[in-house]
Amino acid sequence: EDQVTQSPEALRLQEGESSSLNCSYTVSGLRGLFWYRQDPGKGPEFLFTLYSAGEEKEKERLKATLTKKESFLHITAPKPEDSATYLCAVQEDSNYQLIWGAGTKLIIKP
Amino acid sequence: NAGVTQTPKFQVLKTGQSMTLQCAQDMNHNSMYWYRQDPGMGLRLIYYSASEGTTDKGEVPNGYNVSRLNKREFSLRLESAAPSQTSVYFCAGGRSYEQYFGPGTRLTVT
């Protein structure tokens, strides 16, 4: 069964403490992997698309990487405003529908 | 530019009542989507519309109907609400690899 698993479910960090979030997936053929950010009471906001193993994308303090089985979202020197739930989704070659993970809730304490 | 708007923001229904969730986008996207988001689970696609006049079932279409009224508007109807339909509903527009979400409708069915 195709699935997307994110870990940890929640992560609490001190401001400035770097870490990584994981998204592992099992699909027959990957068309793309996507990272979104979701603030409380709001809809998800698109961050990155990754298409092939070895690819990396960066935006401010965030860097997303992709291997054949998982993706990491690295957060460097996070600030309280980086607190949010980060969602991962994948798209198979044969299907327009995205398969979403349950998300990682990130809390950055000042 | 409002992006994607949804109404209402909150709704409480009794079992068996009907209602329509409204969604509109001003981003000129051909594709629009309806998702539901439940605690501990990833977003699940209810219905998808690739263009005006076309709709396709997603992962969890039972109990819902949709109408793509024009390019801007995509509505979701619950004909006979059930407690299992208590959820947060998101509308989105855009390509499968980059979707823009509305703020959501929090629906409670008692």
Side-chain angles (χ1 to χ4, degrees), chain A residues 36-107:
Chain A
Y36 283 75
R37 169 191 170 127
Q38 185 174 22
D39 292 304
K42 296 189 176 181
E45 177 184 346
F46 174 78
L47 290 173
F48 304 112
T49 302
L50 300 166
Y51 291 108
S52 56
E55 189 175 0
E56 298 183 352
K57 293 276 180 73
E58 287 190 65
K59 181 179 180 179
E60 296 181 359
R61 294 175 293 281
L62 301 176
K63 182 168 79 172
T65 62
L66 181 64
T67 72
K68 288 187 177 180
K69 293 184 179 181
E70 59 191 348
S71 176
F72 292 94
L73 184 66
H74 306 277
I75 302 176
T76 302
K79 298 182 178 181
E81 53 262 42
D82 294 321
S83 297
T85 296
Y86 290 85
L87 305 176
C88 169
V90 301
Q91 185 180 28
E92 283 187 283
D93 280 339
S94 57
N95 197 339
Y96 63 85
Q97 295 189 32
L98 302 187
I99 306 169
W100 294 80
T104 293
K105 184 175 183 178
L106 178 66
I107 300 169

Side-chain angles (χ1 to χ4, degrees), chain A residues 13-28:
Chain A
L13 299 172
Q14 288 294 133
E15 183 174 1
E17 181 184 2
S18 302
S19 189
S20 297
L21 313 182
N22 179 265
C23 173
S24 63
Y25 60 91
T26 53
V27 295
S28 53

Side-chain angles (χ1 to χ4, degrees), chain A residues 31-32 34 36 38 41-46 48-49 51 85 87 91 95-103, chain B residues 33 35 37 40-45 48 56-59 90 95-104 106:
Chain A
R31 174 177 288 183
F34 315 94
Y36 283 75
Q38 185 174 22
K42 296 189 176 181
E45 177 184 346
F46 174 78
F48 304 112
T49 302
Y51 291 108
T85 296
L87 305 176
Q91 185 180 28
N95 197 339
Y96 63 85
Q97 295 189 32
L98 302 187
I99 306 169
W100 294 80
Chain B
Y33 313 80
Y35 290 94
Q37 187 174 42
M41 301 182 68
L43 287 162
R44 291 184 291 169
L45 184 66
Y48 160 68
D56 287 304
K57 294 179 180 180
E59 181 186 354
F90 288 102
R95 297 185 182 274
S96 59
Y97 51 81
E98 186 170 344
Q99 297 180 24
Y100 296 87
F101 286 79
R106 185 173 294 274

